[in-house]
Amino acid sequence: MAAFAFLGAAAAGLLGALALRLLRHRSVVVSLTVIAAVAVTAMLAGTLSVAWAMFLNRHDLGVVTTVIAMAAVVSLATALILGRWVAARSNALTLAARSFGDGGSFAAPARAATAELDALGRELAATSVKLGASRERERALETSRRELVAWISHDLRTPLAGLRAMSEALEDGLVADPERYYRQIRTEVDRMNSMVGDLFELSRIHAGALALSPSRMSLYDLVGDALAGADPLARELGVRLVGDGVEPLPVEVDGKEMTRVLANLLVNAIRRTPADGTVAVAARRGEPGTDTVVLSVTDGCGGIPEQDLPRVFDTGWRGTEARTPPAGAGLGLAIVRGIVEAHAGRADVRNVVGGCRFEVTLPAAEH
């Protein structure tokens, strides 16, 4: 009898599996109805197989069949109700997901749902938050790019107009001191060349094409070379450079690129520090347990507005009009951040008494 019951139920199960495969792209209501129908059909097939093997009379067979039919009606009705309930929750979740896919934010439906749909709603809500943050970053980046294009266009137009005027004056023989014009032309060409070099460096950083050649060196030597390179500009502007607080800590960095980082920070600090002011460079170990070194440049600029601090390292940022230098396109600090992050480090800025302090955190070299 067990064999007959198993064969009958197995036949119903195979037919149900085939039906589910054929209807797998239909609504969950259809799937639940098929499952309920398979369960009832398997019971009916098994019962009829046993009844046939036991030679039950017509009356007993009719009673068994009626009971199974009532169970089938209840099972199918329950499956339809449950299926419609799950489908309604799924449709509500679909509509909510569609709203944040079109640029809005996701809010999970307030009505109760199954554990799986509830978990899916939480995941979609978390994804919506991440997507919103990504959109904000994209908008900020697009704004920075537009500002950069506008500033670069302005900065190039001015020297180009000057070069054109000077070249026309030299060509027409209207210049009493040609040597002075030649020197001015060379100065403007050098400035534009520096600007183009910064753009090229920044494009390499953004493209991930910045190839580093790290080597072991002392921060003391690195800072010493940078101070020597920035000393002529500091003397010209009457700014004192101080590098007494530098510890001879070993680091594993690309010397050329890190020299550029320090040069950009020093030039930025010198240009924004008033005459008779001081720019101090220091290097120390990081917080205990971090295995890092911290290189800092402190200027006397008077501080940066708090609302501008998060944007200091953005491409094209120049700050307020009073802090805008006569040259440059706001690329120096963006280059600093890109090079430092390529070394697995971090660049930060904060206000201190009388100015601001730029800090570069780098991994310490292995002993």
Side-chain angles (χ1 to χ4, degrees):
M1 287 189 294
F4 281 109
F6 174 77
L7 290 175
L14 289 175
L15 291 175
L18 179 60
L20 285 175
R21 179 174 177 80
L22 294 176
L23 300 173
R24 62 185 181 276
H25 298 301
R26 302 295 295 274
S27 171
V28 68
V29 179
V30 176
S31 298
L32 289 175
T33 303
V34 170
I35 292 173
V38 168
V40 174
T41 303
M43 184 187 301
L44 178 61
T47 302
L48 291 178
S49 299
V50 172
W52 175 77
M54 294 177 62
F55 300 102
L56 293 181
N57 56 47
R58 289 178 175 274
H59 178 269
D60 293 341
L61 185 60
V63 171
V64 172
T65 305
T66 301
V67 171
I68 294 175
M70 294 300 101
V73 172
V74 174
S75 299
L76 291 175
T78 303
L80 286 172
I81 294 173
L82 178 61
R84 291 176 65 85
W85 182 82
V86 173
R89 271 54 182 180
S90 299
N91 290 335
L93 195 61
T94 301
L95 292 176
R98 184 180 303 163
S99 67
F100 97 89
D102 292 336
S105 59
F106 176 82
R111 294 183 295 177
T114 63
E116 291 79 8
L117 291 179
D118 188 53
L120 178 59
R122 290 194 300 270
E123 288 297 325
L124 287 174
T127 302
S128 175
V129 172
K130 295 177 182 177
L131 187 58
S134 177
R135 286 170 177 157
E136 287 298 325
R137 287 194 299 270
E138 184 178 354
R139 281 193 286 267
L141 181 60
E142 183 61 27
T143 300
S144 296
R145 287 174 177 171
R146 290 179 180 177
E147 292 175 352
L148 175 62
V149 170
W151 287 334
I152 288 290
S153 300
H154 176 270
D155 286 351
L156 287 177
R157 186 182 297 114
T158 301
L160 285 174
L163 289 173
R164 181 183 180 89
M166 286 185 287
S167 63
E168 289 178 350
L170 288 170
E171 185 178 15
D172 295 338
L174 303 177
V175 179
D177 185 6
E179 292 299 325
R180 184 173 67 86
Y181 273 56
Y182 291 143
R183 289 193 299 270
Q184 185 63 30
I185 289 174
R186 181 180 180 84
T187 299
E188 294 296 335
V189 170
D190 289 342
R191 187 160 75 91
M192 288 192 294
N193 183 63
S194 176
M195 191 183 304
V196 172
D198 285 346
L199 282 172
F200 178 70
E201 181 78 0
L202 194 62
S203 67
R204 287 201 304 159
I205 292 172
H206 287 171
L210 184 63
L212 300 178
S213 301
S215 60
R216 188 183 181 91
M217 62 182 61
S218 171
L219 277 182
Y220 188 86
D221 296 333
L222 196 64
V223 172
D225 292 341
L227 289 174
D231 186 65
L233 178 63
R235 289 179 179 274
E236 178 185 346
L237 299 180
V239 176
R240 293 187 299 275
L241 290 179
V242 178
D244 300 334
V246 179
E247 299 181 25
L249 301 171
V251 287
E252 194 87 14
V253 296
D254 186 310
K256 178 182 176 182
E257 297 298 339
M258 286 308 301
T259 297
R260 179 162 193 157
V261 166
L262 284 173
N264 285 359
L265 290 177
L266 285 171
V267 169
N268 179 73
I270 292 169
R271 290 190 179 280
R272 286 159 175 76
T273 299
D276 295 329
T278 300
V279 172
V281 183
R284 58 176 174 81
R285 294 190 182 277
E287 296 298 326
T290 60
D291 197 24
T292 58
V293 296
V294 179
L295 182 64
S296 65
V297 177
T298 306
D299 61 30
C301 67
I304 300 173
E306 292 294 328
Q307 67 271 17
D308 285 343
L309 284 176
R311 296 193 57 204
V312 167
F313 293 99
D314 289 352
T315 301
W317 183 86
R318 299 190 188 188
T320 61
E321 184 177 355
R323 291 177 52 84
T324 302
L331 305 181
L333 294 179
I335 292 173
V336 166
R337 181 175 63 178
I339 295 175
V340 170
E341 290 180 351
H343 283 84
R346 186 180 72 253
D348 302 292
V349 61
R350 58 189 175 90
N351 286 324
V352 296
V353 177
C356 59
R357 177 173 296 156
F358 288 85
E359 292 185 344
V360 171
T361 304
L362 296 169
E366 296 181 0
H367 298 289

